[in-house]
Amino acid sequence: MRVYFQDDNGNVAGGFFVHFQQTPSYWVRYCSTSYKPLPDNLPKEQNKLWRIKRTDKGLKVTCNGVTVLDAVLSDQLCDASDWRSYWSREISQFYFTSSDTASISYRIT
């Protein structure tokens, strides 16, 4: 799964990627510089409903109702030197990349 956030001008305002491998991992784009393992509480069901929410201070991600990431973005968490320039932007839209082969559909709530 690969989703990017954008502002009104189409500028990237962060992103969230998940790799579904033996050990599922995630990447908070424009914050961290690499993938990190998802917590062990990731639901085991084949079909997963993800909710990805940009909060005032970071990113909250749930999978089938289970919180798998609740990150407050900070210099301690983000090792990308320019993370603030992306994540401080107001988001008005998002998109899934063409390399996202896991997502079937989405719904804005």
Side-chain angles (χ1 to χ4, degrees), residues 73-92:
L73 303 187
S74 66
D75 289 332
Q76 289 76 30
L77 177 68
C78 299
D79 55 7
S81 60
D82 57 350
W83 72 270
R84 287 181 198 275
S85 65
Y86 293 94
W87 286 90
S88 63
R89 294 178 180 151
E90 285 280 325
I91 64 165
S92 60

mmCIF file of all heavy atoms in Angstrom, residues 73-92:
data_model
loop_
_atom_site.group_PDB
_atom_site.id
_atom_site.type_symbol
_atom_site.label_atom_id
_atom_site.label_comp_id
_atom_site.label_asym_id
_atom_site.label_seq_id
_atom_site.Cartn_x
_atom_site.Cartn_y
_atom_site.Cartn_z
ATOM 1 N N LEU A 73 4.843 13.130 15.189
ATOM 2 C CA LEU A 73 6.050 13.406 14.429
ATOM 3 C C LEU A 73 6.904 14.430 15.157
ATOM 4 O O LEU A 73 6.405 15.446 15.619
ATOM 5 C CB LEU A 73 5.700 13.884 13.026
ATOM 6 C CG LEU A 73 4.829 12.926 12.208
ATOM 7 C CD1 LEU A 73 4.688 13.418 10.782
ATOM 8 C CD2 LEU A 73 5.377 11.513 12.224
ATOM 9 N N SER A 74 8.183 14.122 15.272
ATOM 10 C CA SER A 74 9.115 14.977 16.009
ATOM 11 C C SER A 74 10.528 14.696 15.503
ATOM 12 O O SER A 74 10.746 13.752 14.743
ATOM 13 C CB SER A 74 9.041 14.660 17.500
ATOM 14 O OG SER A 74 9.518 13.344 17.738
ATOM 15 N N ASP A 75 11.467 15.500 15.954
ATOM 16 C CA ASP A 75 12.864 15.263 15.589
ATOM 17 C C ASP A 75 13.364 13.923 16.140
ATOM 18 O O ASP A 75 14.271 13.322 15.574
ATOM 19 C CB ASP A 75 13.759 16.398 16.099
ATOM 20 C CG ASP A 75 13.547 17.688 15.329
ATOM 21 O OD1 ASP A 75 13.167 17.627 14.143
ATOM 22 O OD2 ASP A 75 13.753 18.763 15.918
ATOM 23 N N GLN A 76 12.786 13.440 17.233
ATOM 24 C CA GLN A 76 13.182 12.157 17.800
ATOM 25 C C GLN A 76 12.710 10.996 16.922
ATOM 26 O O GLN A 76 13.402 9.995 16.789
ATOM 27 C CB GLN A 76 12.633 11.974 19.223
ATOM 28 C CG GLN A 76 13.290 12.855 20.261
ATOM 29 C CD GLN A 76 12.818 14.305 20.202
ATOM 30 O OE1 GLN A 76 11.693 14.589 19.821
ATOM 31 N NE2 GLN A 76 13.692 15.226 20.567
ATOM 32 N N LEU A 77 11.533 11.129 16.330
ATOM 33 C CA LEU A 77 10.979 10.057 15.500
ATOM 34 C C LEU A 77 11.466 10.156 14.052
ATOM 35 O O LEU A 77 11.805 9.152 13.442
ATOM 36 C CB LEU A 77 9.450 10.104 15.525
ATOM 37 C CG LEU A 77 8.748 9.073 14.646
ATOM 38 C CD1 LEU A 77 8.966 7.670 15.186
ATOM 39 C CD2 LEU A 77 7.267 9.377 14.546
ATOM 40 N N CYS A 78 11.496 11.362 13.518
ATOM 41 C CA CYS A 78 11.815 11.565 12.103
ATOM 42 C C CYS A 78 13.307 11.767 11.902
ATOM 43 O O CYS A 78 13.888 12.693 12.464
ATOM 44 C CB CYS A 78 11.056 12.782 11.569
ATOM 45 S SG CYS A 78 9.260 12.609 11.675
ATOM 46 N N ASP A 79 13.900 10.907 11.090
ATOM 47 C CA ASP A 79 15.313 11.072 10.790
ATOM 48 C C ASP A 79 15.562 11.737 9.436
ATOM 49 O O ASP A 79 16.703 11.978 9.060
ATOM 50 C CB ASP A 79 16.080 9.754 10.908
ATOM 51 C CG ASP A 79 15.493 8.642 10.064
ATOM 52 O OD1 ASP A 79 14.564 8.887 9.274
ATOM 53 O OD2 ASP A 79 15.963 7.497 10.201
ATOM 54 N N ALA A 80 14.505 12.068 8.711
ATOM 55 C CA ALA A 80 14.645 12.864 7.482
ATOM 56 C C ALA A 80 14.805 14.325 7.891
ATOM 57 O O ALA A 80 13.977 14.865 8.620
ATOM 58 C CB ALA A 80 13.423 12.683 6.592
ATOM 59 N N SER A 81 15.865 14.956 7.443
ATOM 60 C CA SER A 81 16.189 16.312 7.911
ATOM 61 C C SER A 81 15.142 17.355 7.536
ATOM 62 O O SER A 81 14.959 18.335 8.248
ATOM 63 C CB SER A 81 17.552 16.736 7.384
ATOM 64 O OG SER A 81 17.553 16.732 5.970
ATOM 65 N N ASP A 82 14.415 17.146 6.442
ATOM 66 C CA ASP A 82 13.443 18.140 5.975
ATOM 67 C C ASP A 82 11.993 17.738 6.248
ATOM 68 O O ASP A 82 11.082 18.239 5.605
ATOM 69 C CB ASP A 82 13.647 18.396 4.484
ATOM 70 C CG ASP A 82 13.538 17.127 3.656
ATOM 71 O OD1 ASP A 82 13.497 16.022 4.234
ATOM 72 O OD2 ASP A 82 13.511 17.240 2.420
ATOM 73 N N TRP A 83 11.765 16.883 7.225
ATOM 74 C CA TRP A 83 10.430 16.347 7.464
ATOM 75 C C TRP A 83 9.398 17.429 7.734
ATOM 76 O O TRP A 83 8.261 17.331 7.292
ATOM 77 C CB TRP A 83 10.448 15.307 8.589
ATOM 78 C CG TRP A 83 10.644 15.847 9.972
ATOM 79 C CD1 TRP A 83 11.820 16.041 10.615
ATOM 80 C CD2 TRP A 83 9.615 16.260 10.875
ATOM 81 N NE1 TRP A 83 11.607 16.536 11.874
ATOM 82 C CE2 TRP A 83 10.260 16.687 12.064
ATOM 83 C CE3 TRP A 83 8.231 16.309 10.820
ATOM 84 C CZ2 TRP A 83 9.556 17.157 13.160
ATOM 85 C CZ3 TRP A 83 7.525 16.780 11.914
ATOM 86 C CH2 TRP A 83 8.187 17.197 13.072
ATOM 87 N N ARG A 84 9.756 18.482 8.455
ATOM 88 C CA ARG A 84 8.788 19.535 8.801
ATOM 89 C C ARG A 84 8.247 20.251 7.567
ATOM 90 O O ARG A 84 7.081 20.643 7.538
ATOM 91 C CB ARG A 84 9.419 20.562 9.725
ATOM 92 C CG ARG A 84 9.626 20.080 11.134
ATOM 93 C CD ARG A 84 10.254 21.201 11.974
ATOM 94 N NE ARG A 84 10.850 20.689 13.180
ATOM 95 C CZ ARG A 84 10.165 20.478 14.306
ATOM 96 N NH1 ARG A 84 8.898 20.741 14.363
ATOM 97 N NH2 ARG A 84 10.792 19.998 15.361
ATOM 98 N N SER A 85 9.066 20.413 6.542
ATOM 99 C CA SER A 85 8.614 21.130 5.349
ATOM 100 C C SER A 85 7.496 20.376 4.631
ATOM 101 O O SER A 85 6.660 20.984 3.971
ATOM 102 C CB SER A 85 9.779 21.403 4.392
ATOM 103 O OG SER A 85 10.297 20.199 3.881
ATOM 104 N N TYR A 86 7.451 19.054 4.772
ATOM 105 C CA TYR A 86 6.380 18.255 4.167
ATOM 106 C C TYR A 86 5.172 18.132 5.091
ATOM 107 O O TYR A 86 4.041 18.390 4.704
ATOM 108 C CB TYR A 86 6.892 16.858 3.809
ATOM 109 C CG TYR A 86 7.909 16.876 2.702
ATOM 110 C CD1 TYR A 86 9.268 16.905 2.985
ATOM 111 C CD2 TYR A 86 7.506 16.879 1.379
ATOM 112 C CE1 TYR A 86 10.206 16.925 1.964
ATOM 113 C CE2 TYR A 86 8.433 16.902 0.353
ATOM 114 C CZ TYR A 86 9.779 16.929 0.658
ATOM 115 O OH TYR A 86 10.705 16.963 -0.349
ATOM 116 N N TRP A 87 5.430 17.705 6.322
ATOM 117 C CA TRP A 87 4.347 17.375 7.237
ATOM 118 C C TRP A 87 3.652 18.593 7.839
ATOM 119 O O TRP A 87 2.600 18.457 8.469
ATOM 120 C CB TRP A 87 4.861 16.429 8.329
ATOM 121 C CG TRP A 87 5.055 15.056 7.771
ATOM 122 C CD1 TRP A 87 6.192 14.559 7.197
ATOM 123 C CD2 TRP A 87 4.077 14.032 7.667
ATOM 124 N NE1 TRP A 87 5.977 13.278 6.760
ATOM 125 C CE2 TRP A 87 4.682 12.930 7.041
ATOM 126 C CE3 TRP A 87 2.740 13.930 8.053
ATOM 127 C CZ2 TRP A 87 3.997 11.741 6.787
ATOM 128 C CZ3 TRP A 87 2.070 12.746 7.813
ATOM 129 C CH2 TRP A 87 2.693 11.681 7.189
ATOM 130 N N SER A 88 4.183 19.790 7.645
ATOM 131 C CA SER A 88 3.508 20.997 8.142
ATOM 132 C C SER A 88 2.480 21.525 7.146
ATOM 133 O O SER A 88 1.700 22.411 7.479
ATOM 134 C CB SER A 88 4.540 22.087 8.457
ATOM 135 O OG SER A 88 5.217 22.465 7.273
ATOM 136 N N ARG A 89 2.441 20.980 5.946
ATOM 137 C CA ARG A 89 1.495 21.436 4.924
ATOM 138 C C ARG A 89 0.087 20.948 5.232
ATOM 139 O O ARG A 89 -0.114 19.827 5.701
ATOM 140 C CB ARG A 89 1.916 20.922 3.549
ATOM 141 C CG ARG A 89 3.221 21.510 3.084
ATOM 142 C CD ARG A 89 3.646 20.948 1.749
ATOM 143 N NE ARG A 89 4.918 21.551 1.350
ATOM 144 C CZ ARG A 89 5.810 20.966 0.591
ATOM 145 N NH1 ARG A 89 5.588 19.748 0.112
ATOM 146 N NH2 ARG A 89 6.933 21.589 0.289
ATOM 147 N N GLU A 90 -0.888 21.805 4.955
ATOM 148 C CA GLU A 90 -2.306 21.421 5.071
ATOM 149 C C GLU A 90 -2.628 20.452 3.943
ATOM 150 O O GLU A 90 -2.300 20.726 2.789
ATOM 151 C CB GLU A 90 -3.203 22.652 4.937
ATOM 152 C CG GLU A 90 -3.230 23.545 6.140
ATOM 153 C CD GLU A 90 -4.152 23.012 7.223
ATOM 154 O OE1 GLU A 90 -5.203 22.415 6.908
ATOM 155 O OE2 GLU A 90 -3.800 23.194 8.395
ATOM 156 N N ILE A 91 -3.273 19.351 4.260
ATOM 157 C CA ILE A 91 -3.615 18.422 3.187
ATOM 158 C C ILE A 91 -5.038 18.671 2.705
ATOM 159 O O ILE A 91 -5.933 19.015 3.477
ATOM 160 C CB ILE A 91 -3.429 16.952 3.595
ATOM 161 C CG1 ILE A 91 -4.366 16.558 4.728
ATOM 162 C CG2 ILE A 91 -2.000 16.664 3.937
ATOM 163 C CD1 ILE A 91 -4.473 15.062 4.897
ATOM 164 N N SER A 92 -5.229 18.524 1.413
ATOM 165 C CA SER A 92 -6.552 18.658 0.822
ATOM 166 C C SER A 92 -6.870 17.479 -0.083
ATOM 167 O O SER A 92 -8.002 17.329 -0.531
ATOM 168 C CB SER A 92 -6.650 19.959 0.021
ATOM 169 O OG SER A 92 -5.699 19.962 -1.018
#
